[in-house]
């Protein structure tokens, strides 16, 4: 088994690569989107951004897992604390109020608060059928990353406080909220995924979003446990479970 890394390494890619090598797992950093013949023959895993994954996953025989595009919009309001809709961007152009708009599973539409729909990327830049998440604007006092594997929170990290990057250990409240979320909605997620959660400025716990573990920064998370999640989240197609087949990107 080999962990494949992209041309440009993030801090998390370096950390997870080092962790893999300590385990005796080979790593390969590809210089571009060209996959050397036979690289995936012994089984490969991936930690990289969505565009790189899209370019190399099939050639490597990797099945990258992610949450459904409308997962956040389908969560009960008790877990989101705000209204969220998954709509084609052509519908979002009609917004006449501020809203937080983002792409569900990549960064093709910048995740921002838009004053109204006219501020979104236009049809000359984006296919009008592209699905976006449109959310009420909410302020998080602190935000946390939860690594989920087989229905359990296996590790995590605070990553922001007051809207600024601030990695720190995961508090007990975040673990409890993650367990509550999994009990209610774990069946709607792949077996390996990252979910970001936070405390609103009103003191309530809420889900921020779901992210593919293979494309997520680990911040102050336990790198060994984070790597376990990444390896499942982007592993060989031959090892894909029937349950996870519905969550392949």
């Amino acid at each position: 088994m080999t962990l494949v890394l992209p041309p440009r390494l993030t801090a998390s890619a370096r950390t997870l690569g080092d962790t893999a090598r300590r385990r005796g797992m080979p790593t390969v950093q590809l210089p571009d989107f060209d996959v050397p013949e036979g690289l995936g023959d012994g089984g490969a895993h991936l930690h990289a951004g969505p565009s790189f994954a899209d370019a190399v996953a099939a050639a490597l025989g990797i099945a990258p897992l992610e949450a459904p595009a409308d997962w956040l919009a389908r969560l009960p309001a008790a877990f989101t604390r705000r209204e969220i809709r998954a709509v084609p961007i052509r519908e979002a152009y009609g917004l006449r109020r501020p809203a937080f708009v983002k792409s569900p599973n990549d960064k093709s539409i910048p995740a921002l608060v838009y004053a109204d729909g006219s501020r979104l990327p236009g049809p000359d830049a984006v296919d009008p059928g592209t699905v976006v998440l449109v959310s009420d604007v909410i302020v998080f006092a602190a935000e946390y990353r939860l690594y989920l594997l087989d229905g359990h929170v296996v590790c995590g990290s605070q990553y922001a406080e007051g809207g600024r990057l601030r990695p720190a250990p995961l508090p007990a409240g975040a673990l409890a909220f993650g367990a509550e979320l999994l009990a209610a909605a774990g069946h709607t997620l792949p077996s390996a995924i990252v979910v970001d959660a936070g405390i609103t400025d009103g003191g309530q716990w809420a889900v921020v979003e779901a992210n593919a573990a293979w494309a997520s920064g680990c911040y102050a998370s336990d790198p060994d446990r984070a790597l376990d999640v990444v390896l499942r989240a982007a592993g060989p197609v031959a090892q894909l479970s029937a349950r996870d087949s519905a969550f392949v990107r």
Side-chain angles (χ1 to χ4, degrees):
M1 291 291 182
T2 300
L3 179 63
V4 178
L5 302 169
R8 297 182 64 181
L9 297 183
T10 62
S12 291
R14 293 182 189 279
T15 296
L16 295 178
D18 290 344
T19 303
R21 287 187 289 273
R22 283 200 301 271
R23 292 185 180 185
M25 183 178 187
T27 65
V28 173
Q29 183 182 1
L30 295 181
D32 50 39
F33 289 172
D34 292 330
V35 176
E37 186 175 350
L39 178 57
D41 289 354
H45 301 265
L46 181 70
H47 180 72
S51 60
F52 189 79
D54 288 344
V56 305
L60 289 167
I62 288 173
L65 305 180
E66 66 182 9
D70 62 348
W71 179 77
L72 193 60
R74 290 191 288 109
L75 273 184
F79 289 107
T80 62
R81 305 294 180 181
R82 62 204 188 275
E83 181 185 7
I84 304 169
R85 296 182 298 135
V87 300
I89 196 170
R90 70 167 73 89
E91 184 175 330
Y93 290 147
L95 286 168
R96 292 296 176 262
R97 59 176 175 82
F100 182 80
V101 183
K102 69 181 293 291
S103 298
N105 286 317
D106 57 40
K107 300 184 186 300
S108 58
I109 306 298
L112 297 169
V113 175
Y114 293 87
D116 56 51
S118 70
R119 307 299 179 91
L120 290 164
D124 57 330
V126 180
D127 185 318
T130 300
V131 173
V132 294
L133 294 175
V134 177
S135 168
D136 290 340
V137 178
I138 189 172
V139 176
F140 287 98
E143 296 168 70
Y144 307 93
R145 175 147 293 172
L146 307 176
Y147 278 83
L148 312 181
L149 183 64
D150 291 331
H152 299 281
V153 181
V154 297
C155 68
S157 168
Q158 176 179 292
Y159 63 88
E161 187 173 60
R164 295 187 177 185
L165 183 66
R166 187 177 182 272
L170 199 66
L175 290 169
F177 180 72
E180 182 183 353
L181 173 67
L182 283 166
H187 64 285
T188 65
L189 290 167
S191 67
I193 191 76
V194 159
V195 169
D196 292 344
I199 301 176
T200 70
D201 57 356
Q204 296 177 309
W205 281 97
V207 173
V208 177
E209 62 184 357
N211 288 294
W214 44 266
S216 295
C218 57
Y219 301 109
S221 303
D222 182 303
D224 271 297
R225 293 183 177 183
L227 180 60
D228 288 339
V229 182
V230 170
L231 296 179
R232 174 76 66 79
V237 173
Q239 296 178 10
L240 185 68
S241 69
R243 179 192 182 283
D244 280 337
S245 61
F247 299 104
V248 177
R249 179 176 172 86

